[in-house]
DNA sequence: CTATTGTGGTCTATAAATGGATCATTTAGA
DNA sequence: TCTAAATGATCCATTTATAGACCACAATAG
């Protein structure tokens, strides 16, 4: 009972995925690093790296981020230290929020 | 002949994935949006949204980005227009790069 | 306090992603 | 130019992700 992935994505999502893909390919080529080598270092197959660089949205988040990391591409405009710091702050903030999202019984927040 | 996903990720990757997860959960709770509703709007199951908010790296890039988008979380610190612009510039730059990464036969670039 | 709703976990069947191999083609370097 | 190497594409076998249902529990609103 799974009929997934006829998914439709927003333009924003498609562009974000493609941007990341292009940045990865750029960085790899700038470093003159063959796909085969990068794939090995990332622990993935060359085929998967191809899909990533092609902007396939159906690749796992972790592998794509890892490849980006190996190429020195900074996610969220954060280097390693800033990222850890952001994460700590976000966790802190999250802990202060109500743990459930219960909607008030009639329409306060439906601004989508 | 596929034995994938005993994957190991760098700390940076793990933190980046978790940061995105926490930001998503934060944004959803701030909006008082039940998981069920957000999942419906994203066209995914509630279980998958749970994994996303938990920081599971094995979720597809597209779905995670789409959920983030639905919550107004900006990827790459770029709104919709900036993103399109970045993408165009990156494509331009990519087109100027050599199309293959051929390593010079002896060690110029192995600074990893 | 209580009723109600959201959430986290588990289970199963199915769809999809991935690895690994192969082949043809393109490209960069000598 | 020559040629070794990189890329792009396809195939198949297997692993994995996902949907969808269910349950027990937690937490919020009243």
């Amino acid at each position: 009972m799974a009929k997934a992935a006829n998914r439709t994505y927003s333009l924003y999502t498609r562009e974000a995925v493609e941007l990341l893909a292009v940045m990865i390919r750029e960085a790899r080529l700038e470093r003159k690093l063959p796909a085969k080598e990068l794939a090995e270092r990332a622990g993935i197959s060359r085929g998967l790296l191809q899909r990533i660089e092609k902007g396939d949205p159906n690749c796992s988040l972790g592998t794509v981020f890892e490849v980006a990391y190996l190429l020195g591409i900074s996610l969220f405009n954060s280097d390693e230290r800033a990222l850890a710091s952001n994460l700590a702050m976000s966790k802190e903030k999250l802990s202060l929020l109500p743990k459930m999202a219960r909607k008030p019984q009639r329409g306060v927040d439906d601004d989508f």
Side-chain angles (χ1 to χ4, degrees), chain A residues 25-107:
Chain A
R25 173 165 256 264
E26 256 179 39
R28 183 177 66 78
L29 290 178
E30 279 174 358
R31 292 188 176 228
K32 301 194 183 313
L33 193 58
K36 182 184 171 189
E37 271 196 44
L38 179 55
E40 276 170 12
R41 297 191 193 195
I44 63 177
S45 65
R46 191 171 64 95
L48 179 52
L49 179 57
Q50 265 181 191
R51 287 185 27 224
I52 290 173
E53 291 191 348
K54 219 173 149 184
D56 188 333
N58 305 307
C59 299
S60 64
L61 188 65
T63 55
V64 179
F65 277 17
E66 183 71 13
V67 169
Y69 164 73
L70 287 173
L71 291 169
I73 296 172
S74 69
L75 275 0
F76 308 106
N77 290 343
S78 299
D79 59 26
E80 310 204 29
R81 209 171 35 182
L83 191 55
S85 159
N86 284 349
L87 178 55
M89 284 175 45
S90 283
K91 277 179 163 177
E92 172 73 17
K93 189 178 168 195
L94 179 58
S95 73
L96 299 175
L97 249 41
K99 299 176 183 62
M100 283 187 182
R102 193 159 192 161
K103 307 192 80 174
Q105 61 266 57
R106 214 43 210 111

